[in-house]
Amino acid sequence: MKADDLKWFKPLWRRVAITGFLAVWCAWEWIFNQEPFWGVLVGAALLYSLYNFFYAFPKEETPNEQTQSARPPEEQDGPGS
């Protein structure tokens, strides 16, 4: 994903909404329309979104991780401490 895409998909609700929409659409195609072509196509998009939005999506740093990494090197615990 590009940096702009990551920024837009950062809120969890957007990723959940898109994945939920694809899940409902996939179920609709398989159950009600009985269209295997569209079911497979939307199912592939659903699997792709599950992987990219929830497994491979970059994790956010917690506030503790941000403050620890921002400390100057002389204040960090090292081998001489």
Side-chain angles (χ1 to χ4, degrees), residues 31-52:
I31 296 170
F32 296 108
N33 288 345
Q34 297 181 356
E35 289 284 340
F37 174 76
W38 287 106
V40 168
L41 194 68
V42 177
L46 175 62
L47 292 176
Y48 181 79
S49 69
L50 284 170
Y51 176 78
N52 275 325

Side-chain angles (χ1 to χ4, degrees), residues 40-78:
V40 168
L41 194 68
V42 177
L46 175 62
L47 292 176
Y48 181 79
S49 69
L50 284 170
Y51 176 78
N52 275 325
F53 291 160
F54 300 105
Y55 181 73
F57 201 79
K59 305 291 185 249
E60 295 181 25
E61 289 185 354
T62 61
N64 289 340
E65 292 173 351
Q66 291 173 351
T67 56
Q68 287 176 355
S69 62
R71 291 186 348 196
E74 62 271 1
E75 290 182 13
Q76 293 180 355
D77 297 333

Side-chain angles (χ1 to χ4, degrees), residues 11-23:
L12 180 62
W13 71 268
R14 286 183 181 165
R15 293 179 275 153
V16 170
I18 290 170
T19 306
F21 171 76
L22 288 172

